[in-house]
């Protein structure tokens, strides 16, 4: 074995990351290292897009995740400012926090999936299948997370329980923001696709127990991903 072969043997596989993830990691590293100090104002979206050679939508996605981690705050008409040099122990997701969401979602979405297994109509089942088909082919993170929220809302509607349906619709925006941040940092989109299909398969079979179990497994995986992001320990 020559020297170059020896060096190559010690290297791990190259992990591909999205443009938004690369920008997010660069900005987060600059903040946590102190290169971007507390109170400093980030460059405009246009300037950052030119600097990183990406679109403004990529910059916006990266900045939304910085804000969700509590590192930055965007003030309308003024710009984005660094407000912390370490990620918060809880994500900020608009009106709700990630902790609040994850404490409540299992109590709503697990029984909703169980009811959906016996109450869903053929039309509702087709709608859920259509959403998952679109998600499997979607590469745009923003579109994917909105489809994700739509799938969970469709299950709540199929449960036939007006309370579940209304609550899930009320938290849809926060759920989308949560998925966006999780996917950007941990790359869970394709794993979520698999988990969603298991939920739908159980609902389609009319298997109440399996539908609830599959939803519980999915939500637990989301919770675990959030714990990795924030460094928090699960109870």
């Amino acid at each position: 074995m020559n020297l170059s072969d020896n060096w190559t043997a010690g290297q791990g596989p190259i992990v591909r990351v999205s443009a938004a993830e690369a920008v997010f990691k660069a900005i987060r590293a600059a903040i946590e290292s102190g290169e971007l100090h507390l109170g400093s104002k980030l460059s405009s979206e246009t300037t950052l897009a030119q600097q990183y050679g990406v679109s403004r939508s990529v910059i916006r996605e990266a900045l939304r995740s910085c804000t969700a981690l509590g590192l930055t705050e965007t003030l309308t008409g003024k710009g984005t400012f660094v407000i912390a040099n370490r990620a918060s122990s809880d994500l900020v997701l608009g009106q709700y926090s990630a902790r609040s969401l994850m404490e409540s979602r299992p109590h709503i979405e697990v029984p909703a999936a169980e009811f959906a297994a016996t109450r869903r109509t053929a039309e509702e089942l087709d709608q859920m299948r259509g959403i998952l088909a679109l998600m499997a082919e979607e590469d745009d993170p923003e579109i994917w997370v909105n489809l994700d929220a739509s799938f969970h809302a469709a299950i709540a509607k199929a449960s036939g329980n007006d309370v579940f349906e209304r609550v899930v619709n009320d938290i849809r925006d926060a759920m989308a923001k949560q998925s966006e941040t999780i996917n950007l940092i941990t790359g869970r989109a394709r794993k979520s696709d698999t988990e969603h299909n298991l939920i739908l398969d159980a609902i389609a079979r009319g298997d109440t127990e399996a539908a609830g179990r599959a939803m519980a497994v999915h939500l637990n995986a989301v919770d675990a991903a959030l714990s990795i992001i924030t460094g928090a320990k699960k109870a």
Side-chain angles (χ1 to χ4, degrees), residues 10 13-14 30 45 63-64 81 97 100 104 129 166 187 202 208 231 235:
I14 295 175
E45 288 183 1
L63 292 180
R64 282 196 296 267
F81 299 84
S97 72
S100 294
S104 60
R129 285 174 175 149
R166 175 169 293 186
T208 298

Side-chain angles (χ1 to χ4, degrees), residues 93 101 105 141-142 144-150 171-183:
L93 303 169
L101 280 178
R105 287 182 66 182
E142 190 169 356
W144 189 96
V145 298
N146 285 318
L147 288 169
D148 179 27
S150 294
I171 64 175
R172 278 182 67 163
D173 183 59
M175 288 168 59
K177 287 183 171 64
Q178 182 183 74
S179 292
E180 180 179 48
T181 302
I182 289 174
N183 291 340

